[in-house]
Amino acid sequence: MRSWQDAYLMVSAAAASQFPRHERAEIALAGRSNVGKSSLINRLAGRKNLARTSQTPGKTRTLNFYAIDERLCLVDLPGYGFARVPKSERMRWGKLIDEYLTTREQLVGVIQVVDVRHPPSELDVMMADWLRQRGLPAIVVATKADKIARGRWKGRADAIQRDLEMPVILFSAVTGEGAQAVHRWIASVAGTGKKS
Ligand code: GTP
Ligand code: MG
C-alpha cells in the first residue's frame, strides 16, 4: 500500500471555534506527550516535516488538523499528562480535547499511541476505558519498536493489549514497521480504502 498522495496542515486550533468545517472523516491521535504521535503522522504521510516533532515534551499544544488526500483528516491532539506545562494550560487543553472527543461529528476513530517500552500509564488506561465506553472504533499503536529487541515485541504487545483491552499494532516511525497495518486500519474505519 502506498503513502498518501497529498497532505497538508489545515489548521492549528487552540479553541473549538477554530475547528475546521468540512466533511472529511477525522481520525484523532491521542497519547502521552513525547510518545511519538507527530512522528507517526509523518511516517504515514511519507513526509519528514509535516507534523512538528521534538525531543521536548509538550511540543504539540494545539489540535492540529491535517488534510489527507480527498476525504481524510488526521487530528494530532496535544499530549496528555505533561507535568512541566502550567496547570492552567493543561486544564485548558484537557477541556479542549474533551470537547473535541465528545462532540466532534466528523470523528470516526481514535488511534491511541503508547510507547512500547513502558507499561500504559493511569491516563492511558483512563483514555482506553473512555474510548470503549464511547464505542468509537479505536486501536492502540505501540510505537518506538526499534528501541527494543524484536524478540520482545510480542510479549510487550500482548501486555499492552491486556492492560488497555484494545487491539495493538506494533510500530516504528524509524523503520516503518507496522505502517501498512495502521494505513489499513485507517482506511477501513474512515472508508477511504481503494475501491475497485
Ligand atoms: P508531543 O507533541 O509533545 O505530544 O509529542 P509527540 O507524541 O508528538 O512525539 P514526537 O513525534 O514529537 O516524538 C517525540 C520524540 O520521540 C522525538 O525525539 C522523536 O524523534 C522520537 N520518536 C518518535 N517515534 C519514534 C520511533 O518510532 N522510534 C524512535 N527511535 N524514536 C521515535
Ligand atoms: Mg506532537
Side-chain angles (χ1 to χ4, degrees), residues 30-42 51-61 64 76-80 82 93 113 115 117 142-147 171-177:
R32 270 181 29 215
S33 190
N34 210 40
V35 83
K37 297 175 296 299
S38 300
S39 302
L40 170 61
I41 290 178
N42 286 338
R52 291 266 294 283
T53 64
S54 163
Q55 268 131 331
T56 318
K59 187 77 199 169
T60 309
R61 292 180 171 221
N64 294 339
D76 194 4
L77 302 177
Y80 49 74
F82 177 53
W93 296 356
V113 186
D115 188 322
R117 297 170 296 175
T143 190
K144 308 197 184 183
D146 58 283
K147 294 211 180 205
F171 179 84
S172 165
V174 172
T175 67
E177 174 73 32

Side-chain angles (χ1 to χ4, degrees), residues 89-151:
E89 186 153 345
R90 250 186 294 156
M91 294 205 15
R92 195 174 58 75
W93 296 356
K95 270 182 135 162
L96 194 58
I97 294 173
D98 205 73
E99 175 165 4
Y100 173 81
L101 288 174
T102 48
T103 66
R104 186 72 170 164
E105 280 176 15
Q106 292 90 332
L107 181 64
V108 298
V110 175
I111 296 175
Q112 186 175 0
V113 186
V114 299
D115 188 322
V116 73
R117 297 170 296 175
H118 310 305
S121 70
E122 217 172 295
L123 285 169
D124 289 328
V125 173
M126 279 171 59
M127 176 62 84
D129 284 347
W130 185 87
L131 288 170
R132 249 194 320 283
Q133 269 176 35
R134 166 110 205 255
L136 207 57
I139 198 157
V140 176
V141 169
T143 190
K144 308 197 184 183
D146 58 283
K147 294 211 180 205
I148 61 170
R150 200 173 263 267

